[in-house]
Amino acid sequence: MKSAALTRIEMAYVDCGSGLPVLLVHGFPLDHTMWAAQIDALSDRARVIAPDLRGFGRTPLGQVDPVHGISMEQYADELAELLDALAIREPIVLVGFSMGGYIAWQFVRKYADRLRALVQCDTRAAADTEEGREGRLKMAQHVAEWGTARVAEMMGPKLLAPHTFETKHEVVQAVRQVVEQTSPAAIAAAQRGMAARPDSTDLLSTIDVPTLVMVGEHDAISTRSEMESIAEAIRGARLAVIPDAGHMAPMENPEKVNEALSVFLDSLGG
Ligand code: MLT
């Protein structure tokens, strides 16, 4: 892993391969390792950049507003800063997964000119319901006393399809481990930021880059029907439903996710 000095933090990232830059943005409370299979498969044909967002994996949390946490816009600003630090001026393919997708909407809002194409994977455009927001703020408030093992217990069954949970123990273990290793302060900051994120539904009809929408068929967090609506609202977007997968489609069925990404990258030409 490498690291780049940004304004607030030193951001850790993987950067491998050459050609069209593809930026992979992980979900919550995870890190770049969720993309291991995609980094492997895509770096033969593209320049794959997979950062650890602020507070996750090897990137330190730095100073955080205790009330507001880190907004989706701030994470997006830091991705743009990372591209600057890597002197990447050409438009990129942005791949956002779940919280990475919430961040990607903000990136689209602010940095549309830096985009060649967009992939939104197992994410949502809508803001939280009141109940969802309360749940996030409760976790933010109590995670330090609960400990991250409890967060892993709470989230595990929602992140993975029942079939994955029962049969793919290495995936279950990998997800649990990364959640348990995340700092409670980073979990709290991200939960506060997600709770406050704006609704991005209005943005969808304004997106004018090639877009792929991907969803695990059994995703319990960002459901297939919700992602179908996102695909319908973005002009010309393609939809890929990943079989035998829940929310963590890139880890649960990496072959199908890689295939969908490859076909999409092919369609961009050059
Ligand atoms: C994620 O995978 O990033 C989270 O499930 C997103 C969320 O909590 O809404």
Side-chain angles (χ1 to χ4, degrees):
M1 269 200 117
K2 301 174 184 171
S3 71
L6 308 185
T7 314
R8 292 191 173 92
I9 36 120
E10 184 93 9
M11 180 173 271
Y13 63 96
V14 165
D15 181 1
C16 50
S18 60
L20 180 63
V22 178
L23 179 63
L24 303 176
V25 187
H26 65 77
F28 165 89
L30 305 163
D31 64 17
H32 78 282
T33 57
M34 65 157 286
W35 297 115
Q38 287 70 43
I39 294 169
D40 218 34
L42 298 180
S43 54
D44 280 349
R45 57 171 305 161
R47 178 174 179 184
V48 182
I49 301 144
D52 283 343
L53 294 165
R54 185 128 76 96
F56 298 95
R58 298 199 179 179
T59 298
L61 182 60
Q63 287 288 332
V64 170
D65 181 319
V67 178
H68 299 106
I70 304 175
S71 68
M72 301 300 106
E73 185 181 346
Q74 271 177 278
Y75 288 119
D77 289 343
E78 284 164 2
L79 293 177
E81 264 199 79
L82 175 65
L83 295 176
D84 289 342
L86 299 180
I88 295 177
R89 308 258 174 265
E90 66 187 291
I92 62 156
V93 179
L94 178 60
V95 183
F97 168 83
S98 201
M99 182 178 86
Y102 309 155
I103 296 166
W105 300 132
Q106 299 312 310
F107 193 97
V108 172
R109 258 186 228 287
K110 264 182 113 161
Y111 304 105
D113 56 335
R114 301 191 82 149
L115 278 185
R116 168 74 181 91
L118 176 68
V119 180
Q120 285 288 42
C121 185
D122 298 276
T123 192
R124 311 185 62 207
D128 284 339
T129 59
E130 202 42 52
E131 192 190 348
R133 209 168 287 132
E134 277 167 18
R136 289 193 194 281
L137 297 179
K138 183 170 173 196
M139 186 185 287
Q141 199 182 342
H142 295 289
V143 60
E145 78 202 52
W146 288 350
T148 53
R150 176 155 164 196
V151 176
E153 285 300 311
M154 285 163 77
M155 292 194 68
K158 285 192 214 147
L159 291 172
L160 300 166
H163 180 71
T164 306
F165 218 76
E166 280 150 29
T167 61
K168 296 190 179 163
H169 300 295
E170 67 301 339
V171 175
V172 177
Q173 197 44 37
V175 170
R176 175 171 305 155
Q177 203 173 335
V178 74
V179 176
E180 284 184 359
Q181 282 170 359
T182 303
S183 87
I187 289 179
Q191 284 287 38
R192 292 199 165 96
M194 285 192 283
R197 76 185 190 283
D199 191 298
S200 292
T201 314
D202 285 355
L203 182 76
L204 304 180
S205 63
T206 70
I207 294 174
D208 65 355
V209 291
T211 300
L212 170 66
V213 173
M214 235 183 326
V215 62
E217 68 170 328
H218 304 298
D219 190 333
I221 296 175
S222 32
T223 60
R224 176 178 176 164
S225 72
E226 193 166 345
M227 292 223 73
E228 279 169 355
S229 308
I230 293 175
E232 275 162 25
I234 301 175
R235 210 170 314 118
R238 300 157 185 229
L239 175 75
V241 178
I242 306 300
D244 298 325
H247 188 62
M248 297 296 310
M251 292 178 78
E252 296 183 67
N253 195 343
E255 295 79 14
K256 288 289 180 205
V257 167
N258 293 350
E259 196 179 302
L261 286 171
S262 278
V263 169
F264 182 64
L265 292 181
D266 284 344
S267 75
L268 300 177

